Amino acid sequence: MDWLGPEEWQAVALSLKVSFWATLASLPFGILAAYALARWRFPGRQLLNGLVHLPLVLPPVVTGYLLLLTFGTQGAIGRALAEVGIVFAFRWTGAALAAAVMAFPLMVRAIRLSLDAVDPGLEEAAATLGASRAWVFLTVTLPLILPGILAGSILAFAKAMGEFGATITFVSNIPGETQTLPTAVYAFLQVPGGEPAALRLVIIAVAVAMGALFLSEWVGRRVARRVAGT
Amino acid sequence: MLEIRNLTVAIGDNVILRDIDLHLPEGELHVLLGPNGSGKSSLLATIMGLPPFEVVSGEIIFAGTPIQSLDLTERAELGIGLAYQRPPSLDGVTVRSFAAALGAVAALETEAAALDLTGFLDRDMNVGFSGGEIKRWEVLKLVLQDPRLLLFDEPESGVDLEHVIAVGDAIRRVVGAPDRSGRTCSGLVITHTGLILSHVKADRAHIIKEGRLLHSGDPHELFGHIQTEGYTIPAA
């Protein structure tokens, strides 16, 4: 990594850390939301669907501002969490939260698609043999949707790597703490002579995004083959 | 053992079964007769608790417990088991490993031999099985599962004549006999062809038509009547 300056390397490493934790921490919620949307009929289902997909259509800066309002030091949730020592504002954890929220719709959509492809007859058959709901989920549903979970996680990771608007609004652009790869590109472009560094980061960003898309496509094809039963 | 009282069942707004009354005493084997689409499979699915059938009114009482509000798992735990009409294939799950999951490895070899399925033990469940082989395995599955109330959805359809005898024998050996905990088993069988009647000892038959239980009586007499008069109420 000699060809990257320390500040660039710091941004790449931070982006990887932020994206990793954003993906990992949102995964249980992603599976739960996808399962609820695919399987449960309850009042407010459409509202949940709308909320999950909101970050996909809202301007990222709006999402970032909403995060600041709720999870900022003066925000209702932010203040309560700060009392137990969890702080998001202007910390890398805040960057991870912003990335997780922005990537959440992509993750939920991928998992939901694979849930829709699961034959409910298999789950029912397991239940007729006496398996509890939790056991059916763990031993029948979860293994069948694993490719969707993988594809969703890869997409979410790639989206998190590229998150800019919500991150810079919520946690600003602090080198070493919240300056991720995209915000670093932006920062380099603001200073004279910063283009070569920006370009190096752009190449990394493109490589990571393409790699993730290919990987996600490959996993998606495997799901399709499995559904087709070949 | 099983008491169905005034049962009405619907899928959404569509009423499938209307005012069904059926009493299956412990240890008995009853058969359900009726034309295609009359509601026989829906009745078995409702007893088992399969979606999308919803009980609109009436009661299903199994061994003294009202079960209509229990879910599939709870009914299975109470001892109700279903041999599917069209069971799913399970790629990657062998018959042997499935039997192991049911805790029935000890009984597997003998029961499989009785149903001429010895060569199938290491094959994936229902994958590449013929229609008749799927049916025989489904009967074997239910026997291994060891429920107290055995529901068979057309166990002989697609099964060649020779193996219908084996299927009938399997049902006869289980129904009326004690399960592994010593409780006497009962059975409810849907039959289209009536072939199974020659190989099991059925105590009573019920005709279901257009979602209603039309008539109940002696299985052989009723089947003879249907062969000449169709699914009608025999004259007294």
Side-chain angles (χ1 to χ4, degrees):
Chain A
M1 283 292 179
D2 282 350
W3 55 286
L4 281 182
E7 209 176 332
E8 296 153 55
W9 173 235
Q10 200 176 43
V12 172
L14 182 69
S15 260
L16 288 169
K17 179 165 103 173
V18 161
S19 305
F20 173 77
W21 286 108
T23 308
L24 195 70
S26 59
L27 192 56
F29 300 102
I31 295 172
L32 184 67
Y35 195 85
L37 291 173
R39 294 294 170 81
W40 296 338
R41 297 287 170 268
F42 55 94
R45 183 169 159 267
Q46 283 311 318
L47 184 69
L48 176 68
N49 194 34
L51 280 176
V52 164
H53 287 93
L54 210 54
L56 207 58
V57 284
L58 269 183
V61 64
V62 172
T63 306
Y65 186 57
L66 287 173
L67 283 173
L68 195 59
L69 286 180
T70 43
F71 289 95
T73 40
Q74 298 307 312
I77 303 176
R79 215 169 19 218
L81 286 176
E83 280 173 21
V84 289
I86 301 169
V87 178
F88 285 111
F90 307 109
R91 299 279 174 85
W92 75 267
T93 44
L97 177 65
V101 168
M102 293 301 289
F104 200 61
L106 295 176
M107 177 186 274
V108 171
R109 284 177 82 87
I111 298 173
R112 191 181 164 176
L113 276 178
S114 63
L115 263 170
D116 287 340
V118 173
D119 175 9
L122 290 173
E123 296 165 317
E124 286 158 20
T128 65
L129 296 164
S132 68
R133 272 177 200 215
W135 194 242
V136 169
F137 180 78
L138 284 175
T139 58
V140 179
T141 319
L142 203 58
L144 287 173
I145 63 168
L146 203 56
I149 292 175
L150 279 175
S153 302
I154 295 163
L155 266 182
F157 183 84
K159 171 71 183 166
M161 283 292 288
E163 215 304 298
F164 176 81
T167 309
I168 205 163
T169 315
F170 181 36
V171 292
S172 186
N173 190 0
I174 308 161
E177 186 65 41
T178 65
Q179 189 175 71
T180 58
L181 192 151
T183 52
V185 170
Y186 177 74
F188 281 124
L189 289 176
Q190 301 304 303
V191 293
E195 280 90 349
L199 197 62
R200 284 194 289 273
L201 290 179
V202 164
I203 292 169
I204 293 178
V206 170
V208 169
M210 286 299 277
L213 280 176
F214 280 133
L215 203 59
S216 167
E217 274 292 311
W218 181 75
V219 173
R221 272 202 304 277
R222 292 205 54 179
V223 178
R225 271 214 300 274
R226 196 152 159 177
V227 170
T230 52
Chain B
M1 166 62 62
L2 179 73
E3 185 82 42
I4 296 175
R5 289 184 198 145
N6 209 17
L7 183 73
T8 297
V9 173
I11 299 178
D13 295 332
N14 194 9
V15 174
I16 308 290
L17 295 168
R18 232 179 257 280
D19 304 328
I20 302 275
D21 285 295
L22 194 150
H23 175 60
L24 173 65
E26 188 171 74
E28 289 199 2
L29 178 71
H30 288 199
V31 294
L32 296 174
L33 305 164
N36 294 328
S38 57
K40 306 183 298 294
S41 293
S42 305
L43 180 59
L44 287 202
T46 305
I47 297 170
M48 188 70 238
L50 287 175
F53 301 97
E54 291 165 29
V55 173
V56 178
S57 60
E59 278 188 310
I60 310 173
I61 297 160
F62 172 69
T65 311
I67 58 164
Q68 67 268 21
S69 55
L70 301 185
D71 69 18
L72 264 176
T73 310
E74 291 166 324
R75 296 186 202 201
E77 280 170 354
L78 275 181
I80 302 176
L82 171 70
Y84 278 83
Q85 190 176 4
R86 294 183 200 89
S89 304
L90 289 184
D91 224 343
V93 180
T94 63
V95 168
R96 201 185 291 277
S97 58
F98 189 84
L102 286 175
V105 176
L108 178 66
E109 305 271 349
T110 1
E111 298 293 349
L115 280 157
D116 196 16
L117 286 168
T118 304
F120 289 70
L121 300 188
D122 293 306
R123 283 176 61 179
D124 285 353
M125 259 179 67
N126 295 329
V127 177
F129 286 25
S130 75
E133 288 159 357
I134 288 176
K135 288 293 184 174
R136 275 150 54 206
W137 159 239
E138 198 58 16
V139 169
L140 174 58
K141 178 208 83 178
L142 198 56
V143 169
L144 295 177
Q145 193 187 334
D146 191 37
R148 280 174 78 190
L149 173 63
L150 298 91
L151 308 170
F152 296 94
D153 197 343
E154 296 196 25
E156 89 276 48
S157 78
V159 178
D160 58 71
L161 290 175
E162 200 177 289
H163 285 118
V164 169
I165 301 173
V167 167
D169 283 347
I171 296 175
R172 205 176 52 221
R173 268 186 289 118
V174 179
V175 176
D179 68 1
R180 285 199 274 273
S181 341
R183 300 171 302 189
T184 309
C185 299
S186 317
L188 197 52
V189 181
I190 293 179
T191 175
H192 247 293
T193 61
L195 276 175
I196 200 84
L197 285 174
S198 316
H199 307 289
V200 295
K201 195 190 125 329
D203 297 284
R204 203 165 169 79
H206 310 275
I207 299 180
I208 293 187
K209 191 178 177 184
E210 292 167 3
R212 289 176 188 278
L213 202 151
L214 213 60
H215 186 77
S216 302
D218 176 80
H220 291 278
E221 278 174 25
L222 263 189
F223 193 67
H225 166 80
I226 290 167
Q227 280 178 308
T228 53
E229 309 294 327
Y231 297 102
T232 56
I233 302 174

